[in-house]
Amino acid sequence: MTWSRAGAATIIIDHTAVPGALRGRGVGQALVRRAVEDARAEGRRIVPLCPFARAQIARHPQWQDVLEG
């Protein structure tokens, strides 16, 4: 996963990739979950520009509290 900070309180997730051998095992979801957990712990918000991260957050209503906007 690649991300950048946009100011003091916002993280932009711009890409999530998992090696082919690990696809379908929940690794990508685990990466997004960790980003959400870290954002919560640090009082940050997430802008998910990455389509995968955006879809994962949309599928998990309990993660949407960290969305920017």
Side-chain angles (χ1 to χ4, degrees):
M1 173 181 291
T2 59
W3 55 273
S4 59
R5 291 187 187 210
T10 304
I11 297 168
I12 298 170
I13 298 174
D14 57 16
H15 184 70
T16 306
V18 174
L22 297 176
R23 288 193 180 156
R25 299 170 122 185
V27 175
Q29 181 178 336
L31 289 170
V32 177
R33 179 178 52 247
R34 179 60 188 257
V36 168
E37 291 168 354
D38 287 350
R40 277 190 190 131
E42 298 170 3
R44 298 182 192 280
R45 309 292 281 175
I46 294 176
V47 176
L49 296 182
C50 166
F52 179 82
R54 183 173 43 249
Q56 287 298 311
I57 292 172
R59 286 186 190 124
H60 295 87
Q62 69 275 23
W63 294 355
Q64 294 178 18
D65 61 307
V66 298
L67 284 177
E68 177 69 38

